[in-house]
Amino acid sequence: MKIFITGATGFLGGQLLGALHQRNHEITALVRSPEKASFPDGVNLVKGAVENMDSFRASLNSQNVFVNVAALVKMWVPDPSEFDRVNVQAVENAIRGCADAGVSKFVHVSSFMALGPSNGKPISEIDARRSNRFHNDYERTKYLGDQVARRYQNEGYPVKIVYPGVIYGPGNLTAGNIIAKNIIPLLNGKMPFGLGIQTWSYAFVEDVVQAILKVIEGELPSPRYILGGDNRSGEEFYSDLAQVSGRKPPAMNIPMGMAKMAGYCEYFLARIFGREPSMLTHEVVEIYKHSWAYDSSLAQKELGYQITPLKTGLAAMVAWLRSSGYVK
């Protein structure tokens, strides 16, 4: 098939592009800086940005599938409206542009954050969001972008939505590879204190890629699929990590109140100096106070979705971090 993909320089998007290329699809990738992109031979590059529809509108003609992996994944940016342009308005513009160009399927890669915290029983596709509060602009705009995609589904547009959990594993060390970035200091012996983690849904990146391939290539009955993973507590996460890495977990967790105070400082320093926070903001600390557990049984039934046990996935990721020189 002819497939147009956004976000292919990111953690998930890069691996998805590689898998599509191996399956001999004709791929066109939207990239901001083609000269910096490193893709397999034969991938067509279009210079542009997902929030600038005019930069790629002409490239949609004759495409079979549009795969939207692009998102602004950051704790903070100087202009909060940038989150809305990339995570909300660009979704609507791309869906409408694909409809005008006759693209037969639009696959929107959302996020577990769009569904909100579980704080109890794992959330499934039929559950309503359990919280009306948004912890930061990323969560807020992922929710709004999801609502846009659902609205077009309800209006009959050929839109499919997937919600990956907390993705981890080998791959590009971007902002989307949050687990790898978080554990590198620990594995290098530079993280004496931790931050308490509730239950998260750990989705191994290869599992997520294989499921999205099924959505791209198949005719499936359901409009939305949660691609969560192994729902594990913070204690279980650190225990598995210690077993596969030989590194003991942090000796103690920083009290949430203290972490939030430090986060406020980071946030205000970012606003004063216009630079991205180097540590967690108070908003992200609030995210850590909740459980984010999800039910992937629909994807398991209809997509054959496989969930790699957390310990197995962490072993693969730690081996990659060591072989890549990120961990000594």
Side-chain angles (χ1 to χ4, degrees), residues 77-284:
V77 294
D79 179 7
S81 66
E82 188 177 349
F83 283 102
D84 295 87
R85 287 193 294 272
V86 176
N87 296 344
V88 186
Q89 294 161 14
V91 176
E92 178 157 22
N93 291 340
I95 293 174
R96 295 180 67 172
C98 286
D100 292 342
V103 178
S104 57
K105 184 185 291 185
F106 188 101
V107 178
H108 177 53
V109 180
S110 184
S111 166
F112 69 97
M113 295 287 284
L115 303 175
S118 56
N119 294 332
K121 181 182 178 182
I123 289 175
S124 73
E125 290 85 353
I126 64 173
D127 291 323
R129 186 180 170 95
R130 297 173 184 170
S131 171
N132 292 323
R133 179 186 178 190
F134 301 107
H135 299 88
N136 60 10
D137 285 311
Y138 175 72
E139 182 185 2
R140 176 182 62 80
T141 54
K142 289 305 290 185
Y143 167 78
L144 292 175
D146 176 48
Q147 294 302 299
V148 166
R150 292 194 197 199
R151 173 162 55 84
Y152 279 96
Q153 279 184 337
N154 293 335
E155 292 176 5
Y157 286 74
V159 176
K160 296 287 186 181
I161 311 172
V162 296
Y163 306 89
V166 183
I167 308 174
Y168 73 104
N172 293 342
L173 200 62
T174 65
N177 201 347
I178 183 173
I179 300 300
K181 297 189 78 169
N182 283 353
I183 69 170
I184 286 173
L186 173 63
L187 298 179
N188 283 325
K190 297 179 180 179
M191 195 173 95
F193 304 108
L195 186 63
I197 302 174
Q198 303 301 312
T199 299
W200 285 9
S201 192
Y202 296 94
F204 193 61
V205 63
E206 180 60 25
D207 299 337
V208 175
V209 166
Q210 292 303 314
I212 296 176
L213 289 176
K214 296 283 184 64
V215 175
I216 292 171
E217 297 175 342
E219 295 299 325
L220 303 166
S222 298
R224 301 183 292 118
Y225 294 98
I226 291 174
L227 307 179
D230 206 354
N231 294 317
R232 295 291 176 177
S233 68
E235 291 80 6
E236 291 172 316
F237 173 85
Y238 281 118
S239 174
D240 284 350
L241 181 60
Q243 291 180 54
V244 302
S245 69
R247 290 282 189 180
K248 293 182 179 180
M252 64 174 291
N253 288 327
I254 300 173
M256 283 292 181
M258 186 181 297
K260 193 170 180 178
M261 186 179 299
Y264 270 114
C265 293
E266 273 295 302
Y267 182 83
F268 286 117
L269 286 172
R271 292 188 63 180
I272 292 169
F273 295 105
R275 51 92 171 156
E276 191 170 353
S278 58
M279 299 188 298
L280 301 182
T281 66
H282 63 289
E283 297 171 328
V284 177

Side-chain angles (χ1 to χ4, degrees), residues 9 29-39 44-48:
T9 57
L30 179 68
V31 292
R32 294 179 187 274
S33 303
E35 66 278 4
K36 297 180 181 179
S38 179
F39 295 141
N44 303 307
L45 301 183
V46 173
K47 183 175 181 178

